[in-house]
Structures are given as structure tokens and as C-alpha cells.
Amino acid sequence: PPIAPMAARRATDEMRDRVVLGEFGVRNVHTTDFPGNYPGYEDAWDQRRFEEAFRVDVIREEEDTLEFDMVGIDAAIANAFRRILLAEVPTMAVEKVFVYNNTSIVQDEILAHRLGLIPIRADPRLFEYRNQGDQEGTEIDTLQFQLKIKCKRNPQAAKESSDPDELYFNHKVYSKHMTWVPLGNQTDLFPDADFRPVHDDILIALLRPGQEIDVLMHCVKGIGKDHAKFSPVATASYRLLPDITLLQPIEDEAAETLQKCFSPGVIEIQNINGKKVARVANARLDTFSREVFRHEGLKNLVRLARVRNHYIFSVESTGILPPDVLVSEAIKILMGKCQRFLNELDSVSME
């Protein structure tokens, strides 16, 4: 009967397109889209076919977060974008701290480390990398900031007060106290520049009367591979698009139990001829807790899977550059890597 080849074809399609989540373990995890893996499938890579199938959909774009779908791509490429975003898109961060005076209880090296982690709102594309061994920075590769603050008593404070905010002036050192000191001709190079920390309210240290901090900082350009302070993202991650299939109608009490097994909004209950019938409303919202497998009556009625080539990226910027710029920079970096590789291939003479 012709039913067998159809069923086999369906099973193969599932194996190629879906990662299936079982009660114990996950099936079809490995990539199998190379030629000759399945009889009857033309799996040789074809640029035209890739271009037709590939798409990017922006789902949500806010000030510092971006969620977008990349469809029709291989895991290796998706992962390359993720890793480039984390470790290879450059930013400016405090690299050298010159401590002229620090009588606070925060030790010099801890203070330097804290200053390094403050994200600086400065477009890294305007600067060059500093050469190895350069002690002095120049206007093309360094931003200089000063932090000079001293804590004093407030003579007007009430005698019985115990609130440090009333008793002292400048007892909290914030990132807003960092001021940009132009180097060389930077005032002419960046006439409308506003170089400052991304957030004004990052607490750096606490002082008491008589204690002071006087430091000069040099910001340089670097990448996250070198030190995490240069990473432009708070997080960049992706997940595969969830795909939930109900294998037969699920009604009444079973439908309500099913709805409780998934994240809110995934399963909705419709009223059809007086019966409550469950349907999948929005599988994308699910987090795959696999709660449904704990119910004996339901676990064989639902297939949980993920679409193998549909990646949901979420990129959360630290605020130095907008997330959409970060993604396009990551794409440029990957293109540069490919170009370098091709140049290497051209320059190596084939023996």
C-alpha cells in the first residue's frame, strides 16, 4: 500500500525539521542536513534556495533590548553571531586607573576593577585600538575621565540625626561624578560629544568625612574576549521556536489540566457545541517545563518539539550602542572573518 512510503516520508521530515522533546531525553538533536543523508532529499547547499528560505523578523525592539527571529539558518552560524556579540564587538572601557589619592575603605585595585565595569557611553567606532606597549594614550585611542570627590560634614544637620544623607555631603560616590577630560584636540574632534557613563546612579564607593578619592582614568577600546568589561551586551542568547501539536481532541477537564501545564497564553480553551476544547494559541510563549508529561492521561496526546532552523534571538545591550547596531556590527565582523579566510586560501599556493 502507498501508505508506508508516506509515513516514512513524514517521519523523515520530522527528523529533519524538528527537535522532539520526550519525557526522558531529546530526540533528533544532531544536524543532518548534509547531502546523501536521506534518500530522496536534495540536501546539497544551494545559495538560491538558501536566499529564498532565509529571513529575519524583528519581533520586539525597545531602547536596550531586541528580539528577532532568524529562520532558515544552521546552528553553527546562529552560535557564531551569539559568540561574536558576547566577545568580539568592541566597546570603550576603563583600562588604566591612576590613583592620586584614595583614603576611602575601598582598596585601590577593587576601586579600579569597579570603575572598569562601568559602561561608558562612547561610540567605539570613533576610536582606534591602543598599540601594545603604549603607556601614554593619544586622542585617537583614549578617553580620559576624572573622579575627584571629598566627603565633608554638613554643619546644618540636626544634632540627633543619624541619617548619613543629612549628616554628610558627597558621602556616596556615583558614576555621575566621573567627568570627561579631553585629550589633545578631542574638543575639536568631537564638538558635540557627550562622553559619560551610561547610567548616572551606579554606586562606586561610600565615604565618611575627611575621606577622598582622586583618580584619573584612561578608557581604551577592547573586546569581551580580552575582558568581560568590554562586552557590549548584558546578554545575547537564542532559543529554538517551540512547536506544540495536539495529537487528538482534548476536551473538558482534560483541556483545563492541559492549559495549566503550559505557560499562560499557550493553550486556549474554546467552547464548541457546549464542550470545552483545547487548542494551541501561541506556542512561542512556552518555556517547555514538560509539566504535561506528569499527567498519565495527557502525556501521549501531545507532541512537544522545537523547529530546528528557527532561532529566536534576544540581545540586551548594556546601553553603549543600541542592540540593532550591535547585531549589524556582529554581522560585519563575521563577514570580515570569512573574507580573511578566503584571502588566506588565495594566498596559500596549492601544493
Side-chain angles (χ1 to χ4, degrees), residues 244-273:
I244 300 168
T245 318
L246 304 183
L247 303 175
Q248 63 183 66
I250 298 176
E251 297 170 348
D252 299 330
E253 265 168 52
E256 284 175 359
T257 314
L258 183 77
Q259 189 177 35
K260 291 192 186 108
C261 289
F262 293 96
S263 305
V266 176
I267 302 287
E268 71 173 19
I269 293 180
Q270 293 176 318
N271 197 332
I272 297 174
N273 304 336

Side-chain angles (χ1 to χ4, degrees), residues 93-114:
V94 174
E95 173 74 6
K96 283 200 165 67
V97 177
F98 303 93
V99 181
Y100 294 108
N101 195 358
N102 172 22
T103 51
S104 73
I105 58 165
V106 181
Q107 296 97 326
D108 293 359
E109 47 272 66
I110 303 287
L111 181 66
H113 180 251
R114 289 178 72 84

Side-chain angles (χ1 to χ4, degrees), residues 26-311:
V26 185
R27 292 205 317 273
N28 313 341
V29 182
H30 46 280
T31 307
T32 55
D33 57 356
F34 37 88
N37 210 351
Y38 302 108
Y41 284 89
E42 186 63 54
D43 276 332
W45 198 80
D46 174 47
Q47 183 165 344
R48 192 183 54 81
R49 202 168 62 225
F50 169 76
E51 284 173 10
E52 281 170 9
F54 178 72
R55 65 174 209 272
V56 174
D57 309 326
V58 176
I59 304 297
R60 190 166 53 90
E61 189 170 4
E62 286 157 30
E63 196 179 358
D64 287 336
T65 52
L66 174 68
E67 187 182 316
F68 65 94
D69 290 10
M70 228 183 230
V71 189
I73 201 171
D74 191 67
I77 310 287
N79 200 36
F81 286 131
R82 182 187 68 84
R83 289 181 54 170
I84 290 171
L85 280 166
L86 286 170
E88 295 186 54
V89 176
T91 64
M92 302 292 284
V94 174
E95 173 74 6
K96 283 200 165 67
V97 177
F98 303 93
V99 181
Y100 294 108
N101 195 358
N102 172 22
T103 51
S104 73
I105 58 165
V106 181
Q107 296 97 326
D108 293 359
E109 47 272 66
I110 303 287
L111 181 66
H113 180 251
R114 289 178 72 84
L115 292 169
L117 293 172
I118 293 171
I120 305 292
R121 180 168 285 158
D123 192 330
R125 294 169 294 183
L126 303 173
F127 298 90
E128 303 293 325
Y129 287 103
R130 190 192 274 199
N131 291 330
Q132 225 93 50
D134 273 12
Q135 287 306 309
E136 289 297 303
T138 62
E139 60 263 19
I140 59 164
D141 60 23
T142 306
L143 271 179
Q144 189 169 266
F145 284 88
Q146 188 182 34
L147 175 62
K148 191 170 183 176
I149 190 165
K150 185 169 183 174
C151 178
K152 296 189 177 72
R153 284 188 188 283
N154 177 6
Q156 265 85 51
K159 285 253 181 332
E160 62 281 355
S161 169
S162 62
D163 178 8
D165 288 335
E166 279 181 38
L167 291 171
Y168 317 121
F169 290 130
N170 284 342
H171 75 109
K172 286 184 172 174
V173 182
Y174 285 113
S175 50
K176 65 179 173 210
H177 295 126
M178 290 168 59
T179 51
W180 174 47
V181 181
L183 271 174
N185 62 349
Q186 281 182 338
T187 25
D188 306 331
L189 279 175
F190 312 113
D192 48 0
D194 180 21
F195 297 130
R196 58 191 176 85
V198 171
H199 304 284
D200 286 339
D201 55 353
I202 299 173
L203 187 64
I204 298 170
L206 293 175
L207 303 180
R208 284 296 175 262
Q211 295 182 349
E212 62 177 302
I213 290 178
D214 180 4
V215 297
L216 204 60
M217 293 161 265
H218 279 182
C219 294
V220 302
K221 184 171 173 172
I223 58 175
K225 251 191 208 176
D226 188 40
H227 191 295
K229 68 186 174 187
F230 292 115
S231 182
V233 291
T235 168
S237 62
Y238 59 74
R239 59 195 180 100
L240 291 172
L241 178 76
D243 173 51
I244 300 168
T245 318
L246 304 183
L247 303 175
Q248 63 183 66
I250 298 176
E251 297 170 348
D252 299 330
E253 265 168 52
E256 284 175 359
T257 314
L258 183 77
Q259 189 177 35
K260 291 192 186 108
C261 289
F262 293 96
S263 305
V266 176
I267 302 287
E268 71 173 19
I269 293 180
Q270 293 176 318
N271 197 332
I272 297 174
N273 304 336
K275 274 190 176 164
K276 293 174 180 168
V277 182
R279 69 173 274 271
V280 181
N282 186 359
R284 186 192 181 92
L285 301 173
D286 198 35
T287 54
F288 279 162
S289 60
R290 308 193 200 189
E291 179 71 16
V292 68
F293 290 130
R294 294 174 53 181
H295 299 277
E296 215 42 60
L298 289 176
K299 68 182 186 185
N300 297 322
L301 308 182
V302 180
R303 185 193 76 162
L304 301 186
R306 286 187 181 274
V307 181
R308 188 197 292 279
N309 65 357
H310 187 134
Y311 293 86

